[in-house]
Amino acid sequence: MDKGKSVVAELAASLSDVRVTPRQNPKPKSFVPSASFYSLSKKAKPRKLVSLCLGTLGQHLEDIITDISEFAAYFPPHIKLAILSIARRRRLLNDEVLTSLAECSWEILDISGSDVTDVGLATVANVCSNLRAIDISRCEKITAAGVSEIVCHCPSLEILRCGGCPRSEFTARRCLNILKPKLNTLEEDSWEELDTLDIGGGAESLRWLVWPRIDDNSKETLAAECPRVTINPQPSPYDLSGSRVPVEALASVPLDHSIVEDIDPKTWAVSAAPRRPVAPPNPNAPPEIPIAERFRLAYVEREARLAPKRAKRERQQRRRAERDYMMNDIDARSIALAAQASRNLRKS
């Protein structure tokens, strides 16, 4: 393990120091490039060395994910964000991985379809207070409490992605009151004594909400109380309010696409298990018992096996109850002592 940590440390140092600079070969004056030359150069564009290193690291991420908190400090923030994106695509992202990689300089966070809970989201909200775009879609373990932490600690939040699964849809509907901007009731003598942070509340900086399956009631509520929020913006240079629509606000583009754009997609491709060959059916074999009949037979067998134990337990409980009755009731105890005395007299 120590050897693996040292290798990871060396890789982290190389990732932070490496700079890819193109070769500057002076082009001859007589050389006139053709259109085919440009098309060939675009197709054969090599990947950056950093991307190749991240691809190698991502292919073996399962082997080091349990100890990622021990060497995460060696990586720079943009490399941590790339590792987070690869872990999400390989379905390895949880609270421990997220909190180990969190950096205060992050501006986007994509945890869609992961196992992150409210605890991990609240921890990241306290660390990454400069977040402006967050994707929590298809997160079944995140509730309105986690979204409230994000809204409270990330005042620059402009883009929020949610929904995608029944649990996330329910969470999004519960968060409508959290996203609404509101004025706090304060008791001060003059406006000069008020702080700007004390006047307002809610997601004041929110401008784009990506919620593909939003219901009509929620859409009407947001349109009436949050007119500056554009719901599900379309891929166009400007939205209805005249603001330029960022790429992060488009539902068709993953939020962390720009982070892993240069990394080979084979890095997060999880190979499926090979299919077992199906043996041809044997005509002489007995017919297969249905699954319901198997459960019934297993239940009957279990009842027959446990019947003697239950009968013995009932006899023990009955004798214990009789003994307790004899010890606690005075009349019954006197009768039992008299019977015992009469038996002793007969024997003598």
Side-chain angles (χ1 to χ4, degrees), residues 298-317:
Y299 178 77
V300 171
E301 181 183 359
R302 177 178 176 274
E303 290 295 320
R305 186 176 67 254
L306 297 179
K309 297 182 179 179
R310 291 176 179 172
K312 181 180 179 181
R313 190 182 305 112
E314 291 177 359
R315 290 194 300 268
Q316 292 177 351
Q317 292 177 355

Side-chain angles (χ1 to χ4, degrees), residues 15 32 53 58 132 145 162 179 224 230 252 276 291-292 302 342-343:
L15 289 175
V32 179
C53 294
R132 59 178 183 84
C162 55
L179 300 179
T230 303
S252 58
R276 297 180 179 179
I291 188 66
R302 177 178 176 274
S342 63
R343 285 196 299 269

Side-chain angles (χ1 to χ4, degrees), residues 98-221:
L98 179 61
T99 54
S100 300
L101 297 173
E103 281 287 340
C104 60
S105 60
W106 286 357
E107 294 186 356
I108 66 172
L109 179 63
D110 191 347
I111 57 174
S112 57
S114 64
D115 294 332
V116 177
T117 64
D118 291 339
V119 178
L121 190 60
T123 304
V124 173
N126 285 276
V127 176
C128 310
S129 58
N130 297 322
L131 291 175
R132 59 178 183 84
I134 299 177
D135 190 348
I136 57 172
S137 58
R138 305 188 311 279
C139 291
E140 299 182 353
K141 299 181 180 180
I142 291 180
T143 63
V147 179
S148 178
E149 293 291 331
I150 286 291
V151 173
C152 179
H153 295 92
C154 300
S156 302
L157 182 63
E158 298 180 352
I159 303 170
L160 179 62
R161 298 188 179 196
C162 55
C165 67
R167 180 62 184 177
S168 186
E169 297 283 340
F170 176 76
T171 300
R173 288 190 292 270
R174 293 286 302 274
C175 294
L176 291 180
N177 293 328
I178 301 174
L179 300 179
K180 296 177 186 176
K182 56 183 72 70
L183 294 177
N184 301 329
T185 303
L186 300 174
E187 297 180 359
E188 298 292 345
D189 296 336
S190 63
W191 286 99
E192 289 80 5
E193 298 180 2
L194 293 177
D195 189 3
T196 306
L197 299 177
D198 297 335
I199 298 176
E204 299 178 352
S205 302
L206 189 64
R207 294 295 178 270
W208 292 277
L209 178 64
V210 182
W211 185 0
R213 299 180 182 178
I214 184 173
D215 56 287
D216 295 337
N217 295 333
S218 302
K219 193 171 184 179
E220 293 175 359
T221 302

Side-chain angles (χ1 to χ4, degrees), residues 17-124:
D17 297 336
V18 66
R19 295 291 184 271
V20 181
T21 56
R23 295 179 60 186
Q24 299 180 355
N25 294 330
K27 186 171 56 177
K29 294 182 179 180
S30 60
F31 175 74
V32 179
S34 60
S36 60
F37 173 80
Y38 287 115
S39 61
L40 182 62
S41 61
K42 291 182 180 178
K43 292 181 181 179
K45 182 180 179 180
R47 301 184 186 275
K48 297 180 180 179
L49 182 58
V50 176
S51 302
L52 295 176
C53 294
L54 283 172
T56 304
L57 182 64
Q59 291 178 357
H60 304 279
L61 196 58
E62 289 88 348
D63 301 331
I64 62 175
I65 198 68
T66 55
D67 302 315
I68 197 169
S69 59
E70 299 184 13
F71 55 81
Y74 296 112
F75 294 107
H78 66 285
I79 299 299
K80 290 185 180 180
L81 191 57
I83 295 175
L84 181 76
S85 302
I86 297 175
R88 182 185 69 83
R89 284 166 167 79
R90 296 186 71 92
R91 301 186 182 278
L92 300 172
L93 184 57
N94 52 27
D95 287 348
E96 183 180 359
V97 177
L98 179 61
T99 54
S100 300
L101 297 173
E103 281 287 340
C104 60
S105 60
W106 286 357
E107 294 186 356
I108 66 172
L109 179 63
D110 191 347
I111 57 174
S112 57
S114 64
D115 294 332
V116 177
T117 64
D118 291 339
V119 178
L121 190 60
T123 304
V124 173

